[in-house]
Amino acid sequence: MFSRFPVSLAFALCVAAPLSAETVNIETAVGPAEVPANPETIAVFDMAALDAIDALGITVAGVPQPHYLSYLDDAAATAQSVGSLFEPDFEALAMIAPDLIVAGGRSSTQVDALSRIAPTIDMTIWDGDYLDVAQARVRAYGEIFGKQDDAEALASALVAKTEEAENAVEGRGDALILLTNGGKISAYGSASRFGWLHTALGLPEAYPGLESETHGEAVSFEFVAEVDPDWILVIDRGAAIGNSGESAAATLDNPLIAKTRAAKQGQIVYLDSGPLYIAGGGVQSMTHTLDEVIAAFSRDGN
C-alpha cells in the first residue's frame, strides 16, 4: 500500500510526532501493549472507542466519516475526517500526525497499516463478556489519558445500570433478539454480539442455541411464530446506518408476528439501533440501551 504513496507523504510519515517520553501498559484485544501516556493528538477508528473516550472528556483530532451517531456529533465536530470505518485516509492521517491511533471492530483489519503512521491499538469489543470488556476498555483509556478516577466512575455506573436492568427483566419471561435488514430478519443468541442483553441481565433466551454468527442466524417469520417469545427486542440495521429502506416496524407488521405473545402483550421493543449496532460496547451506548430495556420492562409498574 505505501509503495504507491508520494514522496511528500512518506516524508510526513517519517516526521510524524514522536512517542511520548512516558508510556503506560494497557490490555488490548490482542494482548498487552505499551502506548504513549497522555497523547495530545488522537485518531479514532472505532465508534465504541470514541464513545468511551468522549465520555472521559477527551478531545480527538481525527474520526471516520460518516460516524452515524448523533450523540457523538460534538466529538466529531472539531475533528478532521480520516476516512471511513473500513478505509482510512492515510494522507489525512499523516497531516494530523497523531500520537496514538485507536482502531477496533470494523477497522481492526487496518491495524498493521495504521501502525506505520503512529502507535495503534486494537480495542475491539466484539468478543468475550461485553460488560467486563466495556469496563476494561474504559479503564484502559483512563490509564492512557490520566483519567483513572473518571474511568472508574464510568465503569461503576455501568455496573449499577446493568443491575437495575437485571432487576427490571427478572421474572418477566423470555426474549428473542431480532435484527431487521430491509425485509429480512436474523436472530441473535447469548453468544452473539448482542448476547450481553441475555448474559449480563439474566434474560432467558426464547430459543437457546442460536449460532454465534456476527450477522446473526437468518430466520423466517414462521420461526418467530413457532418460538413465540414473551418479548422481541428489535434492532433495525437500516436505521442504524442511515438507510431509508423498509423500517423494522414495517418488516414485522405481518400476521405471523402478530400472533406471538410478544405482539399480543405489546412487548415488541424497538431499540435505538445506532448506539447498539454501531458503538456496541461503548459505555454511553450500553447505558442508553440499558435505559431502554429498563423503561420497556418496567412499563406496567414492575
Side-chain angles (χ1 to χ4, degrees):
M1 181 183 299
F2 288 119
S3 62
R4 301 193 301 270
F5 282 9
V7 173
S8 58
L9 176 55
F11 176 76
L13 298 182
C14 292
V15 298
L19 291 178
S20 169
E22 296 183 3
T23 61
V24 294
N25 289 299
I26 63 162
E27 192 67 29
T28 74
V30 294
E34 188 174 349
V35 300
N38 296 306
E40 294 184 2
T41 305
I42 311 104
V44 180
F45 282 91
D46 177 64
M47 290 302 100
L50 182 60
D51 172 308
I53 291 169
D54 175 67
L56 289 171
I58 303 300
T59 299
V60 300
V63 298
Q65 293 293 346
H67 63 275
Y68 299 107
L69 303 170
S70 60
Y71 75 94
L72 294 177
D73 281 350
D74 288 345
T78 58
Q80 296 292 317
S81 173
V82 287
S84 72
L85 287 173
F86 296 94
E87 294 291 337
D89 181 336
F90 293 98
E91 293 196 28
L93 277 171
M95 291 298 293
I96 68 170
D99 302 308
L100 178 68
I101 301 173
V102 183
R106 297 166 178 87
S107 61
S108 59
T109 59
Q110 298 287 345
V111 168
D112 287 345
L114 291 168
S115 295
R116 302 183 189 184
I117 294 178
T120 301
I121 49 176
D122 182 351
M123 302 299 269
T124 297
I125 302 183
W126 283 359
D127 296 321
D129 185 318
Y130 256 52
L131 181 59
D132 287 347
V133 177
Q135 293 178 80
R137 293 290 183 267
V138 75
R139 289 185 176 116
Y141 299 130
E143 289 292 329
I144 293 171
F145 299 107
K147 295 263 191 176
Q148 292 90 340
D149 290 345
D150 292 337
E152 193 59 42
L154 287 169
S156 297
L158 179 59
V159 171
K161 185 65 69 175
T162 303
E163 292 172 350
E164 185 180 352
E166 185 177 5
N167 290 332
V169 307
E170 185 177 5
R172 300 301 311 281
D174 57 36
L176 182 68
I177 301 172
L178 292 180
L179 180 140
T180 67
N181 187 17
K184 300 177 181 178
I185 57 174
S186 300
Y188 288 76
S190 61
S192 74
R193 60 193 287 194
F194 307 124
W196 65 273
L197 291 168
H198 289 299
T199 57
L201 307 186
L203 179 60
E205 292 181 83
Y207 188 85
L210 286 166
E211 295 179 6
S212 57
E213 298 292 332
T214 298
H215 299 291
E217 185 172 336
V219 296
S220 65
F221 299 120
E222 288 82 4
F223 168 86
V224 179
E226 290 174 8
V227 171
D228 195 16
D230 296 310
W231 295 82
I232 299 175
L233 305 182
V234 185
I235 303 156
D236 186 336
R237 180 182 181 275
I241 62 174
N243 283 354
S244 58
E246 183 175 311
S247 70
T251 298
L252 299 181
D253 183 15
N254 64 68
L256 288 167
I257 299 299
K259 69 185 287 188
T260 63
R261 285 193 297 269
K264 291 176 181 177
Q265 296 170 10
Q267 294 177 173
I268 299 179
V269 182
Y270 293 90
L271 297 169
D272 188 3
S273 301
L276 188 56
Y277 184 80
I278 300 294
V283 291
Q284 296 183 76
S285 165
M286 291 183 74
T287 299
H288 177 65
T289 299
L290 290 168
D291 278 334
E292 291 184 295
V293 170
I294 292 165
F297 280 77
S298 302
R299 203 166 288 150
D300 63 358
N302 287 351

